[in-house]
Amino acid sequence: MDKARWDELKRAAETRPTIASLFAGDEARAEGFSARFGDMLFDYSKTQLTDETLGLLMDMARDAGVETKRDAMFAGEVINETEGRAVLHTALRAPEGMKPEKLSDAEFGEVHTTLARMSDFASAVRDGSFKGQGGKITDVINIGIGGSDLGPAMGVLALAPYHDGPRTHFVSNIDGADIAEVMAALNPETTLVIVASKTFTTIETMTNAKTALDWMAAKVAEPAAQFAALSTSDERTAAFGIDASRVFGFEDWVGGRYSMWGPIGLSMMLAVGPDAFAEFLRGGHEMDRHFADADFRENLPVLLALVGLWHNQGCGHATRAVLPYDNRLSRLPAYLQQLEMESNGKSVAMDGAALEVASGPVVWGEPGTNGQHAFYQLIHQGTRTVPCEFMVAKEGHEPELAHHHALLVANCLAQSEALMVGRSLEEATAIMAEKGLTGAELKRQARHRVFSGNRPSTTLVYPKLTPYVLGQIIALYEHRVFVEGVMLGINSYDQWGVELGKELATALSPILAGEESDAGKDGSTRMLLGYLRG
Ligand code: F6P
């Protein structure tokens, strides 16, 4: 990492012009600071980026080796250096004939064989030729957490209009409340349980899987026959008792939070069918080609990354809000929290040296218009600037409710406009004077109604939330994370930060059960243990 360049970026950010002045000085700003890929439009003109600062960021991207490292990733080089692995989730969506250079024919062949096995299994469940012990499968429970939950859970919700398979439920939390509620509502005789875990060791997933097995065993003669497994470990899935015919494997070069394109997407495939799932893969792959081929100024993942770095590392805005004006993307912010924060929330560079700039931002959000009636107050008038990433479809899935969609779109555009233009004290004063206020009360009330404006946002517009478009959106964000990670010089593909808490939880269990002493624990933990043990 070239610290001097980051300092240069920060200095440039200190004197950044207002968004309004940029529009005033350039009639073609919207065209110049937007990019299209197919039917998708990414507008980043409502930011304070200029040709100079964008040019600087592009130079930084080139100097950081984004192109070389991108090619290395697509080729299957070992770019996850701390775990000694390639990063090849893109191979899961690559059509036959598009084998990554370093991947063996056998491994690439296995990707397609597994996909075909998933399709056959999903079709058999969907058409009833694979049966539960009480008849056709009516419900599927996906048990998994993190990347083995968030992707398919987000995707099933996003593709609800295409959902014509069994009902799909997701259990992730170790809190028994999660699985208890799902089990209470279902008939084990017609339920398929999918245990989704890359490692097949994750405590939450294995505890929930065992509980589900007991629940199933109380009602059906062969409980494990209604279980499937998605994992990289054949030994552990076999030890659990799941027949190899219902085990769908993948390799360690697929990171958990990048895994919904392969076996981890089985619940999604069961819900929407193999054809729609294939469309999802096609969308992802087309975004891969775009990322690999397009010039930086036209390259959506690169632009999204540069805007992100500008706001966080350049301007010092430590959070970003993801605001889909698409209710079916309500789990997208949670999905992106793992994708972005588990990937780029690091303090050391790839070589182990301390990071000299801020790492990835805090990502959060909710669908519009709900967020408007909750936290947008802070976004519009709070003392912090929160860059907002709006997204909206041109067309909804409910033609009979087109008037709803028109209002949804109007709200989305109104928010980015309001953030940018704001409302001055003069305007607020005129409005309140019109209402009859005068003197000191007019001044006081007017001040509360001022919007500073000049608050940045981007807007991603797409034709309609189809499986294909969903694939494009997810791959777009994956590559954005990659570019940001490369430019920060960090490894976006490990997650050591989740380990310490796991180890301490394991050590605390016997103390909580009264089997071991709490000696050596800090005062706060001892007090909490004392309370919880009664
Ligand atoms: O929380 C850490 C993590 O390893 C995530 O990266 C991963 O998605 C999740 O746990 C689940 O892991 P597994 O699929 O191995 O159960």
Side-chain angles (χ1 to χ4, degrees):
M1 170 196 296
D2 187 349
K3 173 82 166 42
R5 302 309 287 280
W6 291 102
D7 290 342
E8 193 183 337
L9 185 73
K10 275 194 208 164
R11 275 197 305 278
E14 279 164 19
T15 54
R16 60 193 185 270
T18 63
I19 311 172
S21 70
L22 290 169
F23 272 101
D26 177 8
E27 273 185 17
R29 177 167 174 84
E31 286 70 38
F33 287 78
S34 63
R36 289 167 198 257
F37 169 54
D39 293 332
M40 200 172 245
L41 166 65
F42 176 57
D43 175 16
Y44 59 102
S45 60
K46 291 191 187 97
T47 66
Q48 291 169 274
L49 276 166
T50 60
D51 280 322
E52 290 69 40
T53 43
L54 189 58
L56 171 60
L57 281 156
M58 287 187 184
D59 288 346
M60 289 168 70
R62 281 188 200 96
D63 292 351
V66 165
E67 288 144 309
T68 326
K69 291 195 171 122
R70 172 196 65 196
D71 296 347
M73 173 178 72
F74 280 124
E77 308 259 8
V78 177
I79 62 163
N80 173 357
E81 294 178 20
T82 58
E83 294 182 315
R85 293 173 182 168
V87 174
L88 271 176
H89 49 278
T90 52
L92 298 176
R93 55 200 187 219
E96 285 176 47
M98 298 287 288
K99 184 183 81 60
E101 202 184 313
K102 302 277 171 183
L103 199 62
S104 68
D105 287 334
E107 276 188 297
F108 192 52
E110 197 56 37
V111 167
H112 292 104
T113 308
T114 304
L115 187 60
R117 284 182 55 234
M118 285 168 64
S119 300
D120 290 348
F121 181 64
S123 299
V125 172
R126 286 161 57 85
D127 68 20
S129 46
F130 175 92
K131 286 190 178 29
Q133 286 149 77
K136 188 173 178 182
I137 295 293
T138 55
D139 295 89
V140 173
I141 309 177
N142 183 86
I143 297 180
I145 196 163
S148 299
D149 166 71
L150 288 163
M154 176 275 296
V156 166
L157 207 58
L159 300 182
Y162 304 87
H163 193 149
D164 54 4
R167 288 180 293 263
T168 320
H169 313 266
F170 291 88
V171 169
S172 52
N173 205 314
I174 198 146
D175 184 341
D178 199 5
I179 194 159
E181 286 186 9
V182 172
M183 291 188 308
L186 302 185
N187 175 5
E189 295 175 320
T190 56
T191 297
L192 171 73
V193 176
I194 299 175
V195 186
S197 176
K198 179 175 167 179
T199 54
F200 232 69
T201 58
T202 305
I203 188 79
E204 290 91 339
T205 302
M206 299 328 294
T207 306
N208 279 321
K210 175 72 175 62
T211 301
L213 192 66
D214 294 345
W215 168 72
M216 190 77 83
K219 268 289 186 68
V220 306
E222 285 182 72
Q226 279 175 231
F227 270 62
L230 320 173
S231 180
T232 53
S233 172
D234 291 345
E235 296 79 48
R236 294 195 191 105
T237 55
F240 191 88
I242 301 175
D243 189 78
S245 63
R246 291 185 310 284
V247 175
F248 301 92
F250 53 105
E251 298 298 324
D252 67 6
W253 36 257
V254 179
R257 52 193 174 275
Y258 296 85
S259 64
M260 67 182 293
W261 310 94
I264 295 295
L266 181 63
S267 52
M268 203 171 137
M269 187 192 265
L270 282 157
V272 300
D275 292 346
F277 192 80
E279 276 293 284
F280 169 69
L281 298 186
R282 190 171 71 85
H285 178 69
E286 302 234 329
M287 186 56 76
D288 292 343
R289 298 315 330 140
H290 168 72
F291 176 47
D293 299 335
D295 195 73
F296 277 3
R297 192 81 196 226
E298 304 299 325
N299 197 311
L300 265 57
V302 171
L303 291 168
L304 199 58
L306 298 186
V307 172
L309 294 166
W310 164 247
H311 285 146
N312 184 11
Q313 285 76 8
C315 305
H317 307 318
T319 88
R320 63 174 162 240
V322 180
L323 305 166
Y325 278 65
D326 200 323
N327 203 47
R328 294 191 176 102
L329 288 178
S330 60
R331 291 296 282 159
L332 184 70
Y335 175 80
L336 292 180
Q337 280 177 335
Q338 187 196 15
L339 185 69
E340 302 213 15
M341 293 164 76
E342 201 170 74
S343 297
N344 286 346
K346 314 279 163 71
S347 305
V348 289
M350 188 70 95
D351 62 3
L355 213 60
E356 292 181 297
V357 289
S359 64
V362 176
V363 178
W364 57 286
E366 271 288 306
T369 59
N370 297 17
Q372 289 175 206
H373 298 273
F375 53 79
Y376 277 39
Q377 166 63 43
L378 181 148
I379 290 181
H380 283 289
Q381 287 191 317
T383 51
R384 288 179 177 78
T385 299
V386 180
C388 294
E389 300 188 354
F390 294 100
M391 46 180 87
V392 69
K394 186 172 177 195
E395 195 190 329
H397 278 283
E398 289 75 25
E400 71 287 5
L401 298 176
H403 59 296
H404 281 249
H405 194 73
L407 286 169
L408 180 75
V409 172
N411 269 277
C412 180
L413 299 189
Q415 292 303 322
S416 66
E417 186 186 355
L419 286 166
M420 175 175 68
V421 300
R423 173 171 285 161
S424 68
L425 182 61
E426 293 69 41
E427 288 166 323
T429 306
I431 291 168
M432 298 318 286
E434 185 91 346
K435 291 191 193 296
L437 267 76
T438 54
E441 188 57 9
L442 170 61
K443 268 192 180 164
R444 185 165 80 98
Q445 292 290 349
R447 279 198 201 111
H448 285 273
R449 287 159 174 81
V450 170
F451 293 70
S452 66
N454 198 33
R455 295 181 182 231
S457 70
T458 61
T459 305
L460 180 72
V461 196
Y462 45 89
K464 191 175 182 174
L465 191 58
T466 59
Y468 173 77
V469 166
L470 182 69
Q472 287 185 316
I473 293 174
I474 301 306
L476 166 64
Y477 272 90
E478 285 179 350
H479 295 319
R480 180 248 199 118
V481 168
F482 170 83
V483 174
E484 290 198 12
V486 168
M487 290 179 66
L488 292 169
I490 61 183
N491 183 2
S492 301
Y493 300 102
D494 61 11
Q495 55 285 315
W496 302 109
V498 300
E499 294 304 323
L500 180 58
K502 284 186 196 171
E503 284 165 28
L504 294 182
T506 308
L508 276 168
S509 290
I511 303 178
L512 199 54
E515 295 158 11
E516 282 180 22
S517 146
D518 62 8
K521 290 285 167 196
D522 62 89
S524 164
T525 306
R526 278 209 317 277
M527 177 184 70
L528 294 168
L529 281 165
Y531 177 92
L532 289 162
R533 281 189 305 223

